[in-house]
Amino acid sequence: MNVMKLTEIDLYLTEKCNLHCPFCSIEANNRHPSAMSLEKIFDIISEAKKLGLEELHLTGGEPSLRPDLEEIIRFAAKQGLNIRLITNGSIMNQEKLQRLYDAGLRSLMISIDGYEDYHNRVRGKGVYAKAMKLIESSLLLDDFTLRVNSVAWKDNEREIVELARLFNRMGIHIYSIFLGSPLGFGTDAKANVFEAREWQRFSNHLQEIVNKEIFTMQVVIEKGFIFNDEISLEGTLKGRGVGCYDIAGHFDYFLIRGNGDVYPCVFYSNDAPPIGNLHQDNLQALLQRYTTDSFYKAVGRVPEECTSCYLMGTCKGGCRGYAQIYKGDWNRADPRCHLKKTEEYIPVCPIMKKNLNTGKIGGSSEQALKK
């Protein structure tokens, strides 16, 4: 059996969360109340390292709820991995952050979705002040990368623009802006999702700010769409943001949920069948199964309705998650597609990233940020 490479993992240490965000993509607190044991997590990290793992993202739920988080970070750091802890920032204090730093943590991602009123409205009372306090504590650490992320919707776009300026002044290293998608708890948020031209306008406005003002902070935004004035990206991307086409043939990423279920993308992790479960199989077996699984082979083909399109080489049917959300069928074309002679744009994987500082586009944040 050939050993396949696994470069990046999102590992859900727990699906419990102290917050109840209305757009939570995995429906935290609602699906898998029990979490994997410390020993199982060690086994996963060890095997993944042998399979080529470089990027380990510890997420949830809220991963800082685990009392053994320090042990997990220390173990992963000894494997030589790049570890990113993804947190809402509301229950970690400076003392706990220092302990995690001493264990080997060198990268943190904290969620801020708007100024205090907006953020507290969608995340919970008092959360903004606690998260900002953690941001300030993180900036005091040496050899540490602090990344802040915002989920962008129509109702907070103006605040995100101003947050970019604020975070740049504060000295934050990376600002990641996610295109809000109606999945998980957010399935009823369709009216708040950006249309293509709205997203282009928003992205261009941020681009102008980054170009004209002195930005030492890297700003990474999800691409969302390719418009008729842009070149083809075919063959240049790596990582999960390459899209669903041939999904089992070119991915080097796994998402591992709190119960051990394994998926290729968050858009599949609520409603699609898992590739398998790590309580029954190991990572290598699931990498092999991934290439032959009937469901994922089917969603990896270009939809029949797209085969005659002259832009198929770039789009390849778009996001199957959006097809499932809006059409109830994983194997249909992305409903965001819009082709007219006077105004052409096509959807791309919602996870595809663009670095506004350099213009580099990547299938992952790491590729977009790479110099």
Side-chain angles (χ1 to χ4, degrees):
M1 181 181 291
N2 294 327
V3 176
M4 300 175 68
K5 186 176 176 63
L6 184 62
T7 303
E8 178 184 349
I9 283 178
D10 281 348
L11 180 58
Y12 289 70
L13 299 182
T14 177
E15 298 197 12
K16 293 181 180 179
C17 189
N18 61 309
L19 305 182
H20 298 273
C21 303
F23 47 76
C24 179
S25 62
I26 67 151
E27 302 179 3
N29 296 315
N30 198 43
R31 294 250 178 172
H32 308 301
S34 60
M36 289 182 287
S37 68
L38 181 63
E39 292 71 24
K40 172 54 80 173
I41 289 172
F42 284 176
D43 288 343
I44 291 170
I45 294 172
S46 296
E47 187 191 5
K49 174 63 178 178
K50 293 176 183 177
L51 293 170
L53 186 66
E54 299 170 4
E55 299 286 336
L56 176 63
H57 304 157
L58 303 177
T59 186
E62 175 48 48
S64 62
L65 287 172
R66 283 196 69 125
D68 54 9
L69 178 58
E70 188 176 335
E71 295 176 70
I72 294 169
I73 289 173
R74 182 174 290 109
F75 182 85
K78 288 180 179 178
Q79 306 292 316
L81 299 171
N82 298 320
I83 309 160
R84 184 189 308 154
L85 180 66
I86 302 171
T87 176
N88 61 46
S90 66
I91 56 175
M92 284 181 60
N93 56 27
Q94 186 173 5
E95 180 183 354
K96 185 168 186 177
L97 175 63
Q98 184 65 52
R99 291 200 305 270
L100 298 180
Y101 178 83
D102 293 341
L105 182 67
R106 291 296 181 269
S107 180
L108 190 68
M109 176 184 278
I110 303 174
S111 299
I112 298 285
D113 294 307
Y115 282 113
E116 189 165 14
D117 287 347
Y118 181 91
H119 188 74
N120 287 347
R121 176 160 54 85
V122 298
R123 296 275 181 175
K125 185 178 180 180
V127 173
Y128 180 86
K130 294 174 182 177
M132 290 299 289
K133 183 66 175 178
L134 182 60
I135 286 172
E136 292 169 1
S137 298
S138 300
L139 289 171
L140 299 175
L141 298 173
D142 295 326
D143 186 30
F144 197 80
T145 300
L146 176 61
R147 184 182 307 214
V148 175
N149 75 275
S150 296
V151 181
W153 306 90
K154 291 180 182 180
D155 64 357
N156 68 338
E157 61 171 304
R158 292 183 180 179
E159 297 196 20
I160 286 178
V161 170
E162 293 308 314
L163 283 176
R165 290 185 165 115
L166 171 64
F167 295 152
N168 184 53
R169 292 195 301 269
M170 291 177 67
I172 287 167
H173 307 105
I174 303 166
Y175 185 30
S176 294
I177 301 168
F178 301 146
L179 171 58
S181 294
L183 71 159
F185 285 151
T187 52
D188 294 330
K190 294 183 178 69
N192 204 19
V193 175
F194 283 91
E195 299 292 338
R197 288 299 175 185
E198 293 171 332
W199 186 246
Q200 184 186 40
R201 173 184 47 77
F202 172 69
S203 301
N204 287 345
H205 183 39
L206 278 171
Q207 182 73 73
E208 290 173 4
I209 291 171
V210 171
N211 290 346
K212 292 179 179 179
E213 302 178 16
I214 300 173
F215 261 69
T216 56
M217 177 181 72
Q218 300 288 296
V219 181
V220 179
I221 190 168
E222 290 186 330
K223 188 77 178 70
F225 304 87
I226 294 177
F227 297 90
N228 55 356
D229 56 349
E230 296 178 306
I231 62 172
S232 170
L233 301 173
E234 187 175 10
T236 65
L237 302 179
K238 297 179 181 179
R240 52 191 164 135
V242 298
C244 296
Y245 174 70
D246 192 24
I247 194 170
H250 56 209
F251 269 36
D252 55 4
Y253 160 87
F254 271 162
L255 179 155
I256 303 172
R257 292 201 62 158
N259 68 336
D261 282 346
V262 176
Y263 296 90
C265 175
V266 68
F267 278 85
Y268 293 84
S269 69
N270 292 320
D271 304 315
I275 301 165
N277 185 284
L278 289 173
H279 290 294
Q280 285 82 47
D281 289 296
N282 59 29
L283 286 169
Q284 183 173 338
L286 296 186
L287 280 169
Q288 295 290 339
R289 183 182 303 167
Y290 189 26
T291 64
T292 59
D293 181 273
S294 58
F295 174 82
Y296 289 103
K297 285 184 71 174
V299 298
R301 301 187 186 103
V302 174
E304 182 66 27
E305 60 201 288
C306 301
T307 54
S308 61
C309 177
Y310 73 102
L311 290 174
M312 184 187 72
T314 299
C315 173
K316 296 171 181 172
C319 174
R320 301 297 186 271
Y322 265 83
Q324 171 65 16
I325 290 167
Y326 284 90
K327 296 181 177 180
D329 187 342
W330 293 100
N331 299 308
R332 294 288 303 280
D334 190 321
R336 299 173 298 160
C337 181
H338 181 87
L339 287 177
K340 292 182 180 179
K341 290 183 178 179
T342 57
E343 185 183 51
E344 291 183 350
Y345 58 81
I346 54 176
V348 292
C349 175
I351 296 171
M352 187 185 295
K353 305 293 193 295
K354 181 179 181 180
N355 185 332
L356 297 185
N357 303 73
T358 65
K360 187 169 184 179
I361 296 173
S364 64
S365 295
E366 285 68 33
Q367 187 184 13
L369 289 165
K370 191 173 182 179
K371 296 180 179 178

